[in-house]
Amino acid sequence: MLILRKGNLEIASFDYVNKKISYITNNTLEKVLSVYKPVSLFKLDENSNLWISDYAGNLCKYNTINNTVTDYSFLHAQEKSKKAYANYVIHDMLDEGKGTTIWFCGENTGMLAYNISTGLFTTIKFDNGSEYGLHYDQTIYSLFKDHEGNIWVDTDLGMNIFNPGLQKFKYIDQNTPLLQQSKPNVTD
């Protein structure tokens, strides 16, 4: 958990057996947390990496097993390449669960695919004119993985469904007919 203690953000864990709180100590992580105020993302992936982001476009990965911190500054590089200042904020993260990709989304960031094996990010840009493109204007709010492995992407223009196998999106807006509901079988 992320807590404010003595005026500083600190990461703590709770040992339910011994009913004791312990604090993570790492000088690099303490420096990161002193800069990351307020925090916009604080999530653990399936490889025990804690991802932390703030409202100024900072993003880091803290490996809770080997106590290392990796800083990702690519959002600031995107900001410098544009003429106008844009506020890059990571809102959500979704670990695909196959050990291959972690998805990120937010404001002015688009949808980001983090390749676990290479450690590189790829930006999925909007494609509002395509039936199979990602539709959003400025913000992607959240990500959800359903039981079929599709990723539901909640945006400021509506819902998108991403099929990772086909690498295609399906856009659902207010005019898209609802999915056909099957009639319950009352004889079973």
Side-chain angles (χ1 to χ4, degrees), residues 5-184:
R5 186 171 89 150
K6 299 178 184 173
N8 296 314
L9 288 174
E10 294 188 28
I11 298 174
S13 62
F14 184 71
D15 181 347
Y16 288 95
V17 175
N18 298 317
K19 297 181 178 156
K20 182 180 176 184
I21 295 176
S22 60
Y23 297 92
I24 295 173
T25 55
N26 177 298
N27 291 338
T28 305
L29 186 61
E30 288 174 15
K31 289 176 188 173
V32 165
L33 291 175
S34 71
V35 174
Y36 283 38
K37 293 180 184 176
V39 171
S40 64
L41 176 76
F42 186 79
K43 275 192 167 181
L44 195 65
D45 68 22
E46 292 187 5
N47 293 317
S48 299
N49 294 305
L50 182 60
W51 291 87
I52 307 167
S53 183
D54 68 3
Y55 288 91
N58 296 306
L59 176 66
C60 77
K61 174 179 71 173
Y62 171 63
N63 186 301
T64 61
I65 295 170
N66 63 23
N67 202 29
T68 59
V69 178
T70 306
D71 183 48
Y72 297 95
S73 59
F74 66 93
L75 293 175
H76 293 293
Q78 287 179 351
E79 175 184 303
K80 290 177 183 174
S81 70
K82 296 185 178 184
K83 304 251 187 246
Y85 173 79
N87 188 24
Y88 294 98
V89 179
I90 303 288
H91 287 301
D92 200 7
M93 177 201 94
L94 176 76
D95 191 333
E96 201 171 300
K98 299 176 186 173
T100 57
T101 306
I102 299 175
W103 298 94
F104 293 86
C105 68
E107 188 171 343
N108 297 315
T109 62
M111 192 165 161
L112 305 170
Y114 175 75
N115 183 311
I116 294 172
S117 62
T118 65
L120 299 174
F121 284 88
T122 303
T123 302
I124 312 292
K125 300 278 186 185
F126 71 90
D127 191 2
N128 294 341
S130 169
E131 179 182 355
Y132 298 107
L134 175 60
H135 290 241
Y136 75 97
D137 182 34
Q138 182 176 340
T139 305
I140 301 175
Y141 299 108
S142 60
L143 304 168
F144 172 78
K145 182 177 167 186
D146 66 21
H147 68 282
E148 295 177 351
N150 296 310
I151 299 172
W152 292 65
V153 184
D154 178 22
T155 78
D156 53 4
L157 291 181
M159 189 66 68
N160 295 262
I161 302 171
F162 178 64
N163 182 315
L166 298 175
Q167 292 289 301
K168 289 186 179 180
F169 288 88
K170 177 65 179 163
Y171 176 58
I172 300 173
D173 66 3
Q174 294 175 350
N175 300 322
T176 304
L178 294 175
L179 301 173
Q180 295 283 334
Q181 293 184 6
S182 61
K183 296 179 183 177

Side-chain angles (χ1 to χ4, degrees), residues 183-188:
K183 296 179 183 177
N185 186 346
V186 291
T187 59
D188 288 336

